[in-house]
């Protein structure tokens, strides 16, 4: 079966031909299926951001291909905007990009550019707000009146409202307190379960990734180092440590529990018990 998302010998080099030339992604070949939840890890500068920006067509590969449902996303460069609706991206600290008068209008911004009817736009915005746990009474407020965690939810809802086939989240829990982080992660996982789409979560938190991902993609020095089932990746702790990724013991246990079908709550209780 054709994978939903695939890369073939994908490469990206910044500043080609300048003294600052930097190979950020080299020869990445990967296949991701419909409905998978993928964790993306790697030390700072390993190439994660560059990779995900190529997956949604924000930057064009220096060489190689990104295929969505079997078609090169750059086949018709003029249609690349449409790809960004299908592969939605939530950037780090996305709340910095809120600008509309009300939360409801902000969430509608993406769908409004998709040729939908007013009714469809509103429905999508309501559903998206619901997915991320934003209560109805917040919708008419200004995004600037909200707390940090609420703003983050508004920004994520704005991308979910476009109903992307692939949702990419870059460090969605960065800067939130542990309780806010747990709630947001479980909202993302329940959205993924209900919608059944493909999700890529970039995170420096091994623990978050172990909790939610089916498979984990590990970037190291611009290369794809590993791409395997979560429990398999976290069982290679010495290999991960050799590339600067510390895997806490509890993370390994959590990924094993999850792999055997135990609910996330069991993992959380375990984490608290282990400390
Ligand atoms: P990560 O997301 O894993 O931190 P990045 O994809 O941001 O990694 O960076 C990969 C490499 O590319 C790093 O060496 C980084 O310094 C370099 N890089 C990233 N963005 C730029 C840019 N705009 N210009 C030049 N080099 C860049």
């Amino acid at each position: 079966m054709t994978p939903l998302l695939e890369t073939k010998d994908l490469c990206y080099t910044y500043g080609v031909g300048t003294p600052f030339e930097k190979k950020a992604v080299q020869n990445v070949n990967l296949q991701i299926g419909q409905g998978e939840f993928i964790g993306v890890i790697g030390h700072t500068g390993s190439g994660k951001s560059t990779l995900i920006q190529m997956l949604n067509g924000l930057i064009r590969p220096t060489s190689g291909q990104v295929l969505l449902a079997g078609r090169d996303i750059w086949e018709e460069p003029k249609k690349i905007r449409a790809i960004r609706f299908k592969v939605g991206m939530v950037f780090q600290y996305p709340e910095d990009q809120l600008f509309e008068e009300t939360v409801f209008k902000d969430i509608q911004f993406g769908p409004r550019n998709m040729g939908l009817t007013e009714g469809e736009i509103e429905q999508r915005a309501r559903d998206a707000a619901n997915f991320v746990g934003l209560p109805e009474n917040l919708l008419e407020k200004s995004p600037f009146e909200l707390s940090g965690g609420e703003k983050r939810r508004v920004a994520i809802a704005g991308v979910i409202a476009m109903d992307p086939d692939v949702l990419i989240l870059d460090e969605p829990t960065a800067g939130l307190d542990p309780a806010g982080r747990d709630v947001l992660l479980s909202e993302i996982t329940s959205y993924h379960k209900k919608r059944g789409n493909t999700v890529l979560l970039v995170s420096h938190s091994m623990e978050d990734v172990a909790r939610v991902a089916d498979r984990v993609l590990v970037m190291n020095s611009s290369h794809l180092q590993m791409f395997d089932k979560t429990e398999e990746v976290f069982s290679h702790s010495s290999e991960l440590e050799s590339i600067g990724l510390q895997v806490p013991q509890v993370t390994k246990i959590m990924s094993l529990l999850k792999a055997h079908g135990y609910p996330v709550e069991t993992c959380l209780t375990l984490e608290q018990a282990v400390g």
Side-chain angles (χ1 to χ4, degrees):
M1 217 172 85
T2 311
L4 179 63
L5 195 60
E6 183 174 11
T7 68
K8 289 188 177 168
D9 292 325
L10 191 64
C11 299
Y12 192 84
T13 306
Y14 289 101
V16 175
T18 72
F20 309 103
E21 188 166 306
K22 171 78 200 172
K23 287 184 173 148
V25 169
Q26 295 187 70
N27 302 98
V28 168
N29 290 288
L30 55 84
Q31 298 191 336
I32 296 173
Q34 161 71 43
E36 283 197 273
F37 199 129
I38 308 290
V40 181
I41 61 174
H43 58 79
T44 304
S46 59
K48 303 180 298 296
S49 299
T50 308
L51 174 66
I52 59 171
Q53 288 180 66
M54 282 194 279
L55 297 182
N56 96 325
L58 206 63
I59 55 175
R60 190 171 182 163
T62 314
S63 64
Q65 289 178 302
V66 175
L67 307 171
L68 183 65
R71 292 183 66 174
D72 188 330
I73 64 170
W74 287 96
E75 195 176 73
E76 292 182 75
K78 280 188 188 148
K79 293 193 178 163
I80 199 67
R81 258 187 89 219
I83 297 296
R84 297 184 197 137
F85 295 128
K86 291 183 183 163
V87 183
M89 172 96 83
V90 177
F91 293 96
Q92 280 184 41
Y93 296 97
E95 57 274 24
D96 294 346
Q97 288 160 27
L98 301 176
F99 64 95
E100 293 277 8
E101 256 165 72
T102 68
V103 166
F104 200 38
K105 281 191 186 162
D106 230 310
I107 300 175
Q108 290 176 18
F109 181 77
R112 201 161 281 291
N113 289 296
M114 296 174 76
L116 303 168
T117 67
E118 196 58 31
E120 284 168 332
I121 294 168
E122 289 198 2
Q123 191 56 50
R124 280 187 179 215
R126 269 181 218 290
D127 290 347
N130 204 16
F131 270 131
V132 296
L134 281 170
E136 189 78 26
N137 66 342
L138 285 192
L139 297 184
E140 289 311 319
K141 286 198 172 179
S142 156
F144 305 102
E145 290 173 54
L146 308 185
S147 71
E150 287 166 344
K151 281 190 205 161
R152 179 79 48 95
R153 288 192 168 74
V154 174
I156 295 175
V159 177
I160 286 179
M162 296 192 285
D163 197 25
D165 296 328
V166 182
L167 175 67
I168 303 178
L169 300 140
D170 192 0
E171 298 279 3
T173 59
L176 300 181
D177 61 24
R181 196 186 76 182
D182 287 348
V183 174
L184 187 59
L185 264 191
S186 52
E187 279 160 1
I188 293 167
T189 44
S190 73
Y191 160 72
H192 168 253
K193 274 204 192 102
K194 281 188 202 142
R195 170 64 177 82
N197 59 354
T198 302
V199 176
L200 273 78
L201 172 84
V202 180
S203 179
H204 71 275
S205 163
M206 304 290 139
E207 198 187 298
D208 287 358
V209 168
R211 262 186 222 174
V212 299
D214 304 317
R215 287 201 293 159
V216 177
L217 186 165
V218 186
M219 289 298 290
N220 176 38
S221 305
S222 77
H223 291 93
L224 179 63
Q225 175 97 13
M226 272 192 248
F227 189 20
D228 211 331
K229 286 194 174 139
T230 305
E231 68 275 20
E232 187 62 34
V233 167
F234 286 125
S235 70
H236 289 85
S237 47
S238 46
E239 187 176 344
L240 292 172
E241 269 157 37
S242 73
I243 59 168
L245 299 169
Q246 301 298 326
V247 188
Q249 192 66 21
V250 70
T251 300
K252 292 179 219 165
I253 300 168
M254 277 166 60
S255 67
L256 275 172
L257 283 173
K258 184 176 171 288
H260 290 87
Y262 288 93
V264 173
E265 293 71 44
T266 316
C267 303
L268 293 176
T269 315
L270 179 81
E271 186 198 11
Q272 277 152 10
V274 176

